[in-house]
Amino acid sequence: YFPATRIGFLSDDWGYVYASQHTTYTEALRFLWSPDPYGVGSGNFRPLQSILTVWSWKIIGTPILIHLRSIILHGVEAALVGILLFQLHKHKQTALIGAILFVLFPLNTEAVVWLSSWNSLLAAIPLTIACILYVKGNPGNIQRTVGISALLMLSLMAKEHALVFPLLAILLDLFLKRKISLAAIVYCCAVDALYLLWRFAVIGGIGGYKTAEQTSAHLSVSLGNIMLYAKLPFNAEHDFAPVS
């Protein structure tokens, strides 16, 4: 991924660049209760990404360091994946192989290379920590449940991945062959509901990207796009010219 430090910014990144250049530290906080029209766009609600993009721009301010930050965060997430695998399998070699496969997996390219997609890193890190905490101890423990709920809300503020955590919790309980914690799952569903209400209040609906036919882009899977993303890490040095 290190050739990405020389490519400047790409496509949707420029909305975040513009927003960062025209938003102060304190003004960025308004993204908690109003849409970010230049970065995320008016159809989505990802306040943590918008706020941290503005703040990190003020602190870092150069494409090289911004891309390096994402590479480091990707390494952190890979380490967390290894920790989660160790908690599940209690086997160091399995955890290490899983972490290495994750850190090198080509389909992670967009999350690492695009400024506009580092929301996946911001969402995945607290979500993975929540999974580790859920696996590690008694899921019915109140303090643990509150901690997991806080991590889920933090993750949801970056991207919507954590909405599926109640299903993940059930799958983790089944994998560990332990009793499904209905109380913890209901509590996490309540966190999802709270987030969705917050999202609805800010953007006036569920939101999401639309295709030209006004259907959800999230339901569209393109083999061509998958292959495009898969080859990027191997061609980045040749395919991208530096952009200032």
Side-chain angles (χ1 to χ4, degrees):
Y1 290 112
F2 281 95
T5 59
R6 303 197 302 272
I7 65 175
F9 298 116
L10 303 165
S11 58
D12 293 347
D13 291 354
W14 292 104
Y16 288 97
V17 172
Y18 182 87
S20 298
Q21 290 176 335
H22 294 81
T23 307
T24 67
Y25 284 104
T26 54
E27 287 173 344
L29 294 174
R30 73 173 184 264
F31 297 133
L32 291 168
W33 60 83
S34 63
D36 168 11
Y38 302 111
V40 172
S42 58
N44 258 315
F45 179 60
R46 292 164 183 171
L48 185 63
Q49 178 192 15
S50 298
I51 294 170
L52 292 185
T53 298
V54 171
W55 288 359
S56 60
W57 177 273
K58 305 296 185 188
I59 297 170
I60 301 174
T62 63
I64 291 176
L65 293 179
I66 286 173
H67 287 304
L68 183 61
R69 174 206 60 194
S70 293
I71 293 171
I72 292 171
L73 289 177
H74 180 55
V76 170
E77 173 59 16
L80 290 171
V81 168
I83 292 171
L84 177 59
L85 287 172
F86 181 74
Q87 292 293 340
L88 291 171
H89 294 281
K90 304 301 182 184
H91 192 263
K92 291 182 180 180
Q93 286 79 5
T94 298
L96 181 61
I97 291 171
I100 292 173
L101 287 175
F102 182 89
V103 82
L104 298 177
F105 196 61
L107 289 185
N108 288 323
T109 300
E110 182 176 357
V112 181
V113 174
W114 268 258
L115 172 63
S116 57
S117 295
W118 82 301
N119 51 25
S120 293
L121 298 169
L122 293 174
I125 288 172
L127 176 57
T128 310
I129 295 173
C131 289
I132 292 169
L133 290 178
Y134 189 83
V135 168
K136 192 173 181 179
N138 176 15
N141 180 276
I142 295 298
Q143 290 83 1
R144 190 178 301 275
T145 300
V146 170
I148 289 172
S149 299
L151 288 165
L152 295 181
M153 185 58 75
L154 190 65
S155 177
L156 288 168
M157 288 171 63
K159 205 169 184 179
E160 301 81 14
H161 299 329
L163 287 172
V164 301
F165 184 82
L167 175 60
L168 290 178
I170 294 173
L171 293 175
L172 289 171
D173 284 336
L174 291 174
F175 182 85
L176 295 169
K177 298 180 180 179
R178 68 187 186 190
K179 183 180 178 180
I180 294 174
S181 176
L182 294 179
I185 291 168
V186 169
Y187 198 89
C188 293
C189 286
V191 173
D192 284 355
L194 178 62
Y195 163 77
L196 290 172
L197 288 172
W198 183 14
R199 178 186 180 95
F200 192 95
V202 172
I203 63 177
I206 296 299
Y209 297 114
K210 300 290 185 180
T211 66
E213 292 78 23
Q214 295 303 303
T215 59
S216 173
H218 298 302
L219 299 178
S220 174
V221 177
S222 168
L223 179 60
N225 285 339
I226 291 174
M227 296 305 297
L228 173 65
Y229 293 139
K231 75 175 186 178
L232 284 178
F234 308 104
N235 295 335
E237 186 171 357
H238 307 290
D239 289 354
F240 296 123
V243 178
S244 60

